[in-house]
Amino acid sequence: MINKKIFLSLAGLAAVLLSLQPGVAKELVIEKGVIDKDTTWSGEILVQGDVEVAKGATLLIMPGTTVRFAKIEAFGPEKMYTDKDNHFSRAEIFVLGKLYAQGTKEKKIVFTSAEEKPAPGDWGAINFNGTVDNLLEYCEFMYAQTAVHCHSSQVAVLYNTFKYNGTAMGSKNLPDVPVRCAMPVLYNLVTENGGGIIIGGGTASPVAHNEISGNEFFGVYVKKGGRAAVRFNNINKNGKGVIFYATKETLLRDNNIADNQNYNISMLEGQADDIVARNNWWGMTDEKKIREKVMDKAREETLGKVDLTDFYTSPVSGAGIL
């Protein structure tokens, strides 16, 4: 007869070995709260409320991790923040410290909805506020309101995929926060979202070598003093290609901007300054037809003028993700 203590030890050992088998790792459930010390996430993570990464703390997310967000009540008890100007109605990760989410090409980090039938806006954002030295690389973002939101912060957004979000990413500076927003957006696939990339509020961001296509409303939106260097992107088949509102310091050249549904370039009411958009490929070589896909002073007297001179007569080689 097997000794009872030995049996229990063997049973416990079996349980441990089972937990180490691929595909049976236990999901880690994260409730609303503050991460106040260096923390590592790996495996399967379920977020069930707002999570703050406090100043002085770093959240490290390992390659191959999947972070799923429960669809909490909009501005309900699981929300830590209810300021609608700077926060989102659903669960979000709010970064005051640092976030390193660095996957690999083979083991990407996934941020997505926990819903059985997911939809855009099921979760809020990865929301950076007044923080520097953050990294999002080889991640997939799906079903957020605005997947990455940069408030007066510095975060590198590299080699990621943004799909099925309300908006892929946005940036702006906040008053009384000393850090100025910088969000380099390089080598990303931004597709099938409501909106693509928003550069706003005095922020400065290079947007280069991205595939920006099939977004319902716009590919790139530069607004309210946003400053962007938009180069070597493919910006195709969006509702509108590139939108400008109340801004003037934008470099837009060496892109393939074509086949966008409404306009390849659109100035909104309040865009009184001219925009230089030389040296791009517009999908055609007939200047009159190129102009037909532009909303500027030629159509509305109050708007500035888009300078399209020196346009390329063939697609830009090397644009998009290399």
Side-chain angles (χ1 to χ4, degrees), residues 106-123:
E106 295 75 24
K107 292 185 177 181
K108 294 184 178 181
I109 297 168
V110 177
F111 297 90
T112 190
S113 169
E115 292 293 295
E116 184 176 345
K117 295 182 179 180
D122 281 352
W123 60 282

Side-chain angles (χ1 to χ4, degrees), residues 140-322:
E140 294 184 356
F141 297 89
M142 296 179 287
Y143 303 110
Q145 287 178 269
T146 296
V148 174
H149 209 210
C150 179
H151 290 96
S152 295
S153 294
Q154 297 173 6
V155 52
V157 183
L158 315 173
Y159 293 102
N160 302 290
T161 296
F162 294 83
K163 200 171 185 178
Y164 311 137
N165 302 287
T167 301
M169 65 195 92
S171 62
K172 66 178 181 180
N173 282 320
L174 298 177
D176 303 321
V177 178
V179 178
R180 297 291 84 187
C181 194
M183 187 178 70
V185 179
L186 311 173
Y187 304 106
N188 299 279
L189 173 61
V190 181
T191 187
E192 297 183 66
N193 304 282
I197 303 166
I198 299 176
I199 306 296
T203 63
S205 299
V207 177
H209 286 292
N210 302 284
E211 295 284 345
I212 306 168
S213 64
N215 299 290
E216 183 178 1
F217 301 112
F218 61 86
V220 178
Y221 183 5
V222 187
K223 67 176 186 176
K224 294 183 178 180
R227 295 179 291 118
V230 182
R231 299 191 69 188
F232 296 106
N233 302 282
N234 292 326
I235 306 174
N236 304 316
K237 298 182 179 179
N238 304 283
K240 293 179 181 177
V242 184
I243 298 176
F244 295 99
Y245 168 65
T247 193
K248 57 184 177 180
E249 296 183 82
T250 296
L251 175 65
L252 180 69
R253 60 170 296 166
D254 303 310
N255 302 282
N256 297 316
I257 308 174
D259 299 323
N260 294 286
Q261 184 175 354
N262 295 317
Y263 296 102
N264 287 324
I265 288 189
S266 179
M267 291 182 165
L268 301 185
E269 183 179 356
Q271 180 59 47
D273 288 292
D274 295 343
I275 293 293
V276 177
R278 299 174 183 168
N279 304 114
N280 293 284
W281 163 246
W282 304 101
M284 60 193 84
T285 57
D286 185 325
E287 186 170 359
K288 183 178 179 181
K289 290 184 177 179
I290 292 173
R291 279 279 170 197
E292 289 176 357
K293 298 285 283 186
V294 175
M295 168 59 79
D296 70 349
K297 196 175 189 70
R299 292 176 177 271
E300 172 54 58
E301 181 63 28
T302 62
L303 300 177
K305 183 179 179 180
V306 177
D307 181 355
L308 295 171
T309 57
D310 301 322
F311 58 83
Y312 293 136
T313 56
S314 61
V316 177
S317 176
I321 302 172
L322 299 178

